[in-house]
Amino acid sequence: MTTLEAHVVSIPMRVPFRGITTREALLLKGPAGWGEFAPFVEYDDVEAASWLAAAVEAATAGWPEPVRTSVPVNATVPAIRDVGPVLDRFPGCTTAKVKVAQAGESLAEDVARVAAVRERVPNVRVGANGAWSVGGAVTALRALGELGYR
């Protein structure tokens, strides 16, 4: 049986995300190295269990041989008014996912945030995390469409 060391860490967030200001994670140290487990609390046990299994695998079996030398990533922009400081931390990113439909935020604020990101990043996606109803999604996408984005 393989023994793993477990280390719980708590890292303050620079910007609140999904209503949290501190990100908590379980780091597992095993014979092959480190694994990390940090699901968001709203994910169900089945989904979180697959993340835990991946962390255990990383710590015990290690990583597979890479098939590429780099992986492009996107910036994630939380529901904030000044997007500049967040985007400054992602130099070279050509895609940003902008969080929308957050509690306490209006559609007008969402549209303004998307427009501000689009001024700096050529490819913009929005993430409502299931908060929109079908009608709400149609209304929001029409408002975003008025910005000229497709």
Side-chain angles (χ1 to χ4, degrees):
M1 177 175 225
T2 302
T3 302
L4 298 175
E5 290 179 29
H7 303 268
V8 176
V9 296
S10 181
I11 302 168
M13 307 276 288
R14 291 182 184 177
V15 177
F17 184 72
R18 291 186 172 184
I20 62 171
T21 57
T22 303
R23 188 80 160 112
E24 295 177 337
L26 171 66
L27 302 179
L28 299 174
K29 184 177 182 186
W34 292 89
E36 172 264 336
F37 175 63
F40 289 103
V41 297
E42 65 268 20
Y43 291 0
D44 65 35
D45 292 347
V46 172
E47 188 167 10
S50 66
W51 291 14
L52 179 58
V56 170
E57 180 181 2
T60 57
W63 296 95
E65 288 298 314
V67 296
R68 60 185 70 85
T69 58
S70 67
V71 177
V73 298
N74 65 253
T76 299
V77 180
I80 57 174
R81 286 179 177 71
D82 185 6
V83 301
V86 170
L87 293 175
D88 288 345
R89 293 195 301 268
F90 294 94
C93 274
T94 58
T95 301
K97 177 171 59 173
V98 181
K99 291 302 193 175
V100 296
Q102 302 295 298
E105 294 285 317
S106 69
L107 177 56
E109 290 169 309
D110 288 343
V111 170
R113 184 170 43 265
V114 170
V117 171
R118 184 61 177 85
E119 288 177 10
R120 293 189 48 178
V121 179
N123 303 299
V124 176
R125 299 180 299 172
V126 296
N129 288 40
W132 285 334
S133 64
V134 172
V138 169
T139 299
L141 294 174
R142 283 187 177 139
L144 291 167
E146 289 177 11
L147 296 172
Y149 310 131
R150 300 281 178 235

